[in-house]
Amino acid sequence: MAYFYFDFRDINKQNRRDLLPSLVTQLSDQSYRHCDILNSLYLKHGSGAQKPSEDELIECLKDMLTLPDQEPVYLIIDALDECPDTSGLPSPREQVLDLLKALVELSSPNLRLCVTSRPEIDIRRALEPLTFLRVSLHEQSGQKRDIINYVTAVIQSDLKMRRWRDEDKNLVIKTLSERADGM
């Protein structure tokens, strides 16, 4: 299993160039066969003297995912919507979506891919044709209730906020839960 969390607050967790080394390193740490693939790439680049290209890292990942007779490999890509969708051509998010499409097109029977995101239009358009199983929690009443419960608990546990008028507390709870957009 390998996991990556896109984080809009961390510049080192916002694009494909950050995702790829993380995934191949995690996978190589769990399997001698994966480690051998990564070691070959390392040796090819002067034992780490040069950085491999993104294309080489993609090929390394694909080689790891298509090894015959291996246990299932789980890749978890969390918060894809926090990968920037800037005006660059292609944007960092488009590059990640292209990678995900390429991984699905491998048709590796051992690959299990889980991608989480808010339902941004570009992400939905790219992933829906690739999706075997889709679970959406965005408009679920339980999620809204959890957000309300969390905001209420924060207000009740904060000494300063506890002194607020009830109307103000209720306004904060209502406003934050409505504008949370599922987060």
Side-chain angles (χ1 to χ4, degrees):
M1 180 186 85
Y3 171 86
F4 189 83
Y5 172 70
F6 285 100
D7 186 346
F8 73 94
R9 294 169 292 180
D10 186 344
I11 193 125
N12 296 313
K13 293 187 176 185
Q14 294 185 357
N15 60 54
R16 185 173 68 183
R17 184 69 184 170
D18 303 323
L19 169 70
L20 289 165
S22 177
L23 295 180
V24 298
T25 302
Q26 289 176 65
L27 291 174
S28 70
D29 191 41
Q30 300 169 44
S31 159
Y32 290 115
R33 294 169 70 196
H34 292 157
C35 187
D36 289 343
I37 293 169
L38 183 57
N39 190 52
S40 293
L41 183 63
Y42 173 77
L43 294 174
K44 181 180 171 186
H45 289 83
S47 297
Q50 301 108 17
K51 283 187 175 184
S53 69
E54 281 188 47
D55 288 339
E56 290 172 311
L57 287 168
I58 290 169
E59 287 309 309
C60 179
L61 178 61
K62 286 179 176 181
D63 290 346
M64 288 179 178
L65 297 175
T66 56
L67 282 172
D69 304 321
Q70 71 173 323
E71 296 293 316
V73 175
Y74 295 86
L75 298 183
I76 301 168
I77 312 299
D78 194 8
L80 179 55
D81 56 289
E82 294 193 24
C83 181
D85 189 24
T86 56
S87 59
L89 292 174
S91 73
R93 186 184 297 174
E94 288 172 321
Q95 290 179 330
V96 172
L97 290 168
D98 288 344
L99 172 64
L100 293 173
K101 181 179 181 195
L103 295 180
V104 169
E105 288 174 349
L106 287 173
S107 298
S108 173
N110 303 320
L111 176 60
R112 308 297 187 267
L113 191 57
C114 176
V115 179
T116 69
S117 174
R118 286 186 290 177
E120 302 290 334
I121 292 171
D122 61 319
I123 294 172
R124 286 178 45 203
R125 268 195 210 128
L127 294 183
E128 282 179 356
L130 308 174
T131 305
F132 173 71
L133 176 64
R134 181 173 168 256
V135 177
S136 176
L137 302 176
H138 190 68
E139 295 296 327
Q140 297 298 312
S141 62
Q143 182 181 22
K144 291 178 182 178
R145 192 170 34 255
D146 286 346
I147 292 169
I148 291 169
N149 290 342
Y150 174 76
V151 173
T152 301
V154 168
I155 288 173
Q156 291 174 347
S157 66
D158 185 278
L159 294 174
K160 291 180 183 177
M161 287 188 231
R162 270 196 270 175
R163 289 186 254 152
W164 291 357
R165 297 178 316 168
D166 285 340
E167 312 79 76
D168 294 336
K169 291 179 193 176
N170 291 333
L171 178 62
V172 167
I173 293 167
K174 181 179 185 283
T175 303
L176 288 177
S177 61
E178 285 175 357
R179 294 187 183 174
D181 194 26
M183 297 298 289

